[in-house]
Amino acid sequence: MSTELVAIQEDDSRLPYLCLDAVTPEHLEHDIYSHAVRSDHIYHIALFKSLAKYEERKAEQKFRDLLKAALVVGCVGNEADHDTVIDKTVMAWRAANRGAPLAYSQHHQKRM
């Protein structure tokens, strides 16, 4: 996955937006330092740089570690794929919860 920006024509009635929920820090770094990509996104480089420094990944690391431990204990899938599976799970969870951080899930989980 890479960052893809689409130009909106002036007469277009759609509201332009930039959604970066599914972009990883690694993809941002690639887009910042790749000349071929950077030349297409020159107006957004400052935004990409600030997002690359964002501490979201560190803040959610304990939740990612819990998910990984559950996958290992449950012998689910190949351990080499766990990080990718967790990334996709977090992206899907955020999409379903309007971008809420993972910490939100701990405070609002259903009690059985």
Side-chain angles (χ1 to χ4, degrees):
M1 175 188 309
S2 66
T3 311
E4 183 176 332
L5 302 175
V6 178
I8 303 292
Q9 302 297 322
E10 266 189 55
D11 61 344
D12 196 334
S13 62
R14 296 179 296 168
L15 180 64
Y17 61 92
L18 179 61
C19 180
L20 296 170
D21 286 348
V23 178
T24 65
E26 295 81 19
H27 289 120
L28 285 172
E29 291 289 328
H30 174 264
D31 288 357
I32 291 167
Y33 295 108
S34 167
H35 177 70
V37 174
R38 187 177 63 230
S39 62
D40 291 337
H41 305 316
I42 196 73
Y43 297 109
H44 295 92
I45 293 300
L47 171 65
F48 292 170
K49 285 182 177 181
S50 70
L51 289 172
K53 292 179 187 175
Y54 190 59
E55 300 290 326
E56 185 175 76
R57 205 39 96 90
K58 289 180 184 175
E60 66 188 22
Q61 192 58 49
K62 72 176 185 175
F63 300 105
R64 289 173 172 272
D65 291 343
L66 288 170
L67 289 169
K68 190 175 224 176
L71 291 172
V72 170
V73 168
C75 298
V76 177
N78 184 346
E79 282 191 48
D81 298 330
H82 285 177
D83 288 334
T84 302
V85 169
I86 291 169
D87 284 344
K88 289 181 180 183
T89 301
V90 170
M91 287 176 207
W93 188 89
R94 278 206 190 111
N97 290 278
R98 298 181 180 235
L102 290 181
Y104 177 87
S105 68
Q106 289 297 92
H107 300 295
H108 295 86
Q109 60 183 313
K110 293 180 182 178
R111 305 286 181 213
M112 295 191 169

